[in-house]
Structures are given as C-alpha cells and as structure tokens.
Amino acid sequence: MKPKSNDLSRKSPKICRDYQHISHDPLTHRHQLLKRILDRVQKNCEVEGKEFRDEFDIFLRGWFDVIPNKSKKDLVSREKKKSEMSFSFLDSVDRQSVEIFFSWAFFDKQWYRLETWESDEIAVMFKMLENYGITFQREKDMTSRDCTFIPRCMTLEKSNSIHRPLAFYFFFGWIRMLGYLILLMFGYRRYTIQCESGNHMTYWFRDSRDISKHQNDETILFQHGISPGGLANYIPFIVYCLNQMNRCVFIPETHSITCSLSFHALDEEEMVDAVQKALRRHKKLKNGLYIVSHSFGTFQSTWILKAKEIRPLIRKVVLIDPVSILLSFPDVLSNFLYSDRNKKDQMNWIQRLNIEVVRLLASSELFIEDYLRRKFAWFNSELWLEDIPCDTYIFLAEDDVILNACKIQKELDRHLVGSARKNIFYTVWNNIRHAEVLFKPRLLNEVKQALETSTERRKRD
C-alpha cells in the first residue's frame, strides 16, 4: 500500500480560497496570503518590541530542515551542533530554496511545474519581502556553507509511515465497532452521503428529545480529531457534553484519521458539500449551528466556516486543542509530521516521550499520513481569528506537544486588544496534554459550560 501512497499522480490541484472576494479571479492574488502572514508577524513585533527581521528569520527557518554538509560533519563538535541554529538563516539560505518552499506553500506544486502567473505571484512575494529589507542571494553567488537547507514540502514528499501488522487494524476496528454500539445505545443513527467523486461520508445523527426544539434550536456539528479507534475515544465527550445539551447532534466521521484501511479521504470541497447535503436531509440547513471541533477537526471546521451556505447559520464556535490557529507558523506540521527534528536536543525527556507517543500512535500511520500529504491544503486550512463570525470559545492545553499553546495565547491576547470584536473567550489548562480533555470530567464540564452559555470570558493563566 505504501507505493500507492507515494504516487503523486493521485494528488489533485487545490485552489486557494481565502481571497475570492478580492476580484473575479482570486488565483492571481495568491500573494495576499503572504501579505496577511507578514502583517501578523509585524503586529506581533510591535506588541513585543522585537525586530521584524529576527522574527521572520525564526518563522522561515522552522519550515526547513538544516543539515550539516558531509564535508563539515566530522569537524563539527557536539557543542557546535547545539548552537548551529544561532546563525542568521535569512543570510544563509539561497533564493531557490525559498522559491521551492513558496511553490509548495502557496500552490502545492514543485517549482518547475509552476505556470507563468504562478511564477509572477512568487516574484511579487519576493518584492514584498524586499520592502521589509529581506533579500536572498542566488546559490551560485554564495560562498560555501556549512549547512544545507531543505524545505519541508509536506504534500510533495514521500510517506514516512511505519509498518503495522494487520492485527493492529483489526484491534482498532473492534474498538471502533464498540464505539458504534455505544452510540446506538444513546440514540444515534448512522447515515451515508454519496459524493459526486464516488467517495462517501458517513455520519452519526441524533435528534433532540424535545420535539418542540426540532425546528427552532441550533444543531451541534462536531468534528473529531485524529483518533486510533475513531469515535470510541470521544464517547465520554459526546455523552457528557453533547448529549446533555438536548439538541440535535450531527457527527461526521473521517475514517482516514481513525487507523482504518482507507485511502478514500474527502478533500475540502467534498467534505463541505457532504455536510450541506446531510443537514439538508434532516431539514437542519435553516437552523442555527454550533460548531464544535477537536484537534484535526478544527481544520474541517475552518472549511465549514468558509462555506457560503453554512456560514450565515453559525451561532457559536467551540475549539479544543485548535491546531488550525497559526497554522502558517511551522509548529504544528513540524511537531506532528517531522517530530520536531530541529529542536529535539532542546526538549526534556517528558516532551520527547510525548512526541514519540504521538508519532507511534498517529503521525507515522500510513492512512493518516496519506490524508495529510495527499489531500490536505495548507493554505486553505488556517483559521484566522478575524474571520470567525460569532462567539468563539477556545481551549488550550499548556503541555501540548503538537501546537504551541503559548504562541496561540499571545495571538489571542493581541487580537482581543487590537480588535473591536471582543467575542473570543479562551481557557488555558495548566499541566494538561493534547487530547487529555477527552478523559477528564473537570475539563469536560468547562467545555459543557461554554456550550450552554456565552456570558463572560473565562481565562486560566
């Protein structure tokens, strides 16, 4: 199955959807996404009193693997290896390496496959960086370097999966079936939506027990995260939080991130279209929506928030371990798919252990990797706080080894100070790890309260 996952011909081109409102032809305005990122880095520098060049240096180097050249490896001591990252990355990396990264990050293509207008867009991006005093030399004009810089072009790379025996999938298949039985016991029913591409989406639906609320109250749409065993791991969350609301609950199921033998992952268009069809089937497309999502599900919630037909219905958003916030920064993809290779020497043993657990249980599994590397569009999946149209509750785990909770907290504070909209409330859970909320009643109670009320900002330092 691994050769199939490494077949790049299975990839379909993705269209950037963040800026369709700019003109009738959004494809020619891809540089606006980089402008948005640069503006955010600039604002953060102004708030924290830092130099833009230094912060952009840290931002860009996180998207590259820094490898000592073979001729220098034997000469570099262990102490020097630890300090290698202290050099100026912007002065050391060549223009072609950055162009290769931009080709992936903004077009999901190899640099030599770019069309003329795409190359023109990248030229505009380099001009924008020149306005900030950042230029890159051609490789032929540079002196010999101690390191080679390899851009992390996630969706264009080969799978890095680890072999699992068939018994592994049988085990989690039984766990998944056990979860299905429990959902049936609590009144959920399983449905299927067929997509035009031939793929299908399965989902679970439970109507409100109060008949008078069927047509009036909001429907809860819950998007789950990467989970070996599927929805079985979310049973405490579903029963304790979602069922207690006595509202209609709608739970799409993403098989490719549950350790299932499935290459048939839905892309952004298919997922949004299937959700709309499912809501229409149950006559909920005119009702309001509560969007609730965990971890990877926050990517899918981002797609839903951009859907023109669904967006006006959204009344509240609850995000738990939101990996989609600050996705343009390298933390999430580096920590999850690359196990943060550049920073392992700086981690303590607990952080390393957590990273290894994530790698062994999730990030190195073939079908999860296939979804992320072949179906995922980086530029369509970041959730920008200013784009959320309603009350939003965000829950962060302080010891999360996948996302950078401290950086997201700073971004939330900056947004709340500089924005006229004060309808974003957040909580930081101390000494809690990624997904630990699913099994702690105290934390589940806080999420439940966020679903029930929208009165005051709750913040934990």
Side-chain angles (χ1 to χ4, degrees):
M1 292 184 176
K2 197 166 182 177
K4 182 177 181 179
S5 179
N6 289 331
D7 181 8
L8 292 180
S9 65
R10 296 171 55 237
K11 281 177 54 61
S12 56
K14 306 293 190 303
I15 298 175
C16 182
R17 305 185 185 282
D18 276 336
Y19 297 93
Q20 288 195 5
H21 61 281
I22 289 178
S23 75
H24 65 282
D25 185 10
L27 297 180
T28 60
H29 292 81
R30 197 67 58 87
H31 66 272
Q32 293 289 342
L33 181 53
L34 178 61
K35 181 180 185 303
R36 202 174 192 184
I37 294 169
L38 294 176
D39 287 345
R40 180 167 61 193
V41 174
Q42 179 68 47
K43 289 176 182 176
N44 287 338
C45 290
E46 292 172 359
V47 171
E48 299 178 12
K50 297 181 179 178
E51 291 293 329
F52 176 86
R53 184 181 179 87
D54 294 339
E55 288 302 293
F56 188 74
D57 185 295
I58 296 171
F59 164 80
L60 192 60
R61 80 166 67 191
W63 286 106
F64 285 74
D65 275 323
V66 182
I67 302 174
N69 292 333
K70 290 182 179 179
S71 60
K72 304 285 183 180
K73 272 185 178 179
D74 296 335
L75 303 176
V76 178
S77 66
R78 189 173 188 84
E79 289 73 24
K80 185 176 178 181
K81 282 184 179 180
K82 290 182 179 179
S83 62
E84 275 176 347
M85 299 303 291
S86 64
F87 60 78
S88 173
F89 177 81
L90 296 178
D91 292 334
S92 303
V93 68
D94 60 278
R95 183 185 176 99
Q96 186 175 2
S97 295
V98 178
E99 187 173 348
I100 291 171
F101 169 67
F102 281 176
S103 301
W104 166 74
F106 298 99
F107 302 98
D108 198 17
K109 289 184 176 181
Q110 302 281 7
W111 65 273
Y112 52 81
R113 296 186 183 276
L114 294 176
E115 298 178 25
T116 302
W117 73 267
E118 294 169 334
S119 297
D120 292 341
E121 280 290 288
I122 288 182
V124 172
M125 294 177 193
F126 280 111
K127 284 286 186 184
M128 291 168 58
L129 292 175
E130 288 176 12
N131 294 334
Y132 286 93
I134 297 173
T135 58
F136 302 95
Q137 291 182 302
R138 302 283 181 182
E139 187 174 11
K140 62 181 180 180
D141 298 328
M142 302 179 73
T143 57
S144 59
R145 295 173 293 176
D146 291 344
C147 298
T148 299
F149 306 102
I150 302 176
R152 292 173 170 178
C153 303
M154 178 189 71
T155 60
L156 303 177
E157 298 171 349
K158 290 186 176 181
S159 172
N160 194 33
S161 60
I162 299 175
H163 172 75
R164 267 94 171 159
L166 190 59
F168 172 88
Y169 294 97
F170 275 120
F171 173 76
F172 283 111
W174 282 110
I175 296 293
R176 193 163 52 252
M177 294 301 297
L178 178 61
Y180 291 170
L181 290 174
I182 297 174
L183 287 173
L184 288 170
M185 289 170 55
F186 280 95
Y188 287 86
R189 294 297 178 264
R190 194 168 185 253
Y191 300 86
T192 300
I193 290 289
Q194 197 71 26
C195 302
E196 294 181 2
S197 63
N199 290 337
H200 67 275
M201 181 190 79
T202 60
Y203 67 94
W204 292 83
F205 179 78
R206 193 203 70 163
D207 223 334
S208 171
R209 296 176 183 176
D210 188 343
I211 299 177
S212 65
K213 294 184 178 182
H214 283 190
Q215 300 299 323
N216 301 318
D217 268 17
E218 292 85 355
T219 299
I220 297 175
L221 170 61
F222 174 61
Q223 304 276 7
H224 67 85
I226 292 175
S227 171
L231 294 177
N233 294 314
Y234 287 92
I235 293 299
F237 179 83
I238 293 171
V239 172
Y240 189 80
C241 289
L242 306 186
N243 285 10
Q244 297 299 319
M245 292 289 293
N246 196 25
R247 297 176 186 268
C248 304
V249 181
F250 174 59
I251 309 175
E253 196 173 8
T254 306
H255 292 285
S256 296
I257 59 174
T258 61
C259 291
S260 300
L261 295 167
S262 173
F263 281 119
H264 302 291
L266 302 184
D267 60 20
E268 177 189 356
E269 282 186 336
E270 293 170 328
M271 170 62 71
V272 172
D273 184 58
V275 168
Q276 289 180 172
K277 287 180 178 178
L279 291 172
R280 192 176 293 115
R281 169 188 282 179
H282 298 282
K283 299 180 180 180
K284 302 300 179 184
L285 203 52
K286 293 183 179 180
N287 291 20
L289 277 179
Y290 283 179
I291 303 293
V292 184
S293 56
H294 173 251
S295 191
F296 185 90
T298 61
F299 294 139
Q300 297 169 326
S301 294
T302 300
W303 306 340
I304 297 295
L305 282 164
K306 296 177 186 178
K308 293 180 180 178
E309 192 171 354
I310 300 178
R311 183 180 174 86
L313 307 176
I314 300 173
R315 303 289 180 264
K316 184 185 295 185
V317 176
V318 178
L319 306 173
I320 307 164
D321 299 334
V323 292
S324 61
I325 299 177
L326 296 186
L327 183 63
S328 54
F329 283 84
D331 301 271
V332 170
L333 297 186
S334 295
N335 292 340
F336 191 78
L337 281 181
Y338 298 92
S339 298
D340 216 358
R341 295 191 291 246
N342 288 340
K343 296 182 180 179
K344 272 196 171 180
D345 288 340
Q346 304 170 21
M347 296 180 181
N348 59 43
W349 70 271
I350 296 178
Q351 291 172 319
R352 289 190 186 186
L353 178 62
N354 289 339
I355 284 282
E356 284 302 309
V357 169
V358 170
R359 187 177 73 89
L360 292 174
L361 284 180
S363 64
S364 63
E365 197 275 323
L366 176 63
F367 300 97
I368 293 174
E369 271 229 330
D370 182 77
Y371 188 6
L372 293 176
R373 293 187 184 273
R374 304 297 172 251
K375 292 283 188 178
F376 189 80
W378 171 85
F379 42 69
N380 284 346
S381 302
E382 176 167 6
L383 180 59
W384 295 80
L385 298 175
E386 54 267 31
D387 292 348
I388 305 176
C390 58
D391 286 355
T392 305
Y393 296 81
I394 297 172
F395 296 91
L396 299 166
E398 182 186 42
D399 295 337
D400 199 319
V401 294
I402 297 177
L403 56 83
N404 190 325
C406 180
K407 189 179 291 184
I408 292 177
Q409 183 179 1
K410 290 180 180 179
E411 176 66 14
L412 289 166
D413 286 334
R414 185 190 66 77
H415 178 80
L416 289 169
V417 170
S419 173
R421 292 172 59 245
K422 307 296 183 183
N423 60 344
I424 294 180
F425 316 101
Y426 74 87
T427 297
V428 179
W429 290 316
N430 295 328
N431 303 315
I432 298 297
R433 295 172 300 215
H434 191 90
E436 201 171 342
V437 56
L438 302 178
F439 310 102
K440 287 191 175 292
R442 173 179 62 86
L443 306 183
L444 290 176
N445 188 58
E446 293 189 42
V447 177
K448 180 184 172 185
Q449 289 177 6
L451 282 167
E452 290 175 340
T453 183
S454 58
T455 54
E456 62 178 3
R457 178 182 181 187
R458 294 178 299 277
K459 175 181 173 181
R460 258 174 137 61
D461 293 323

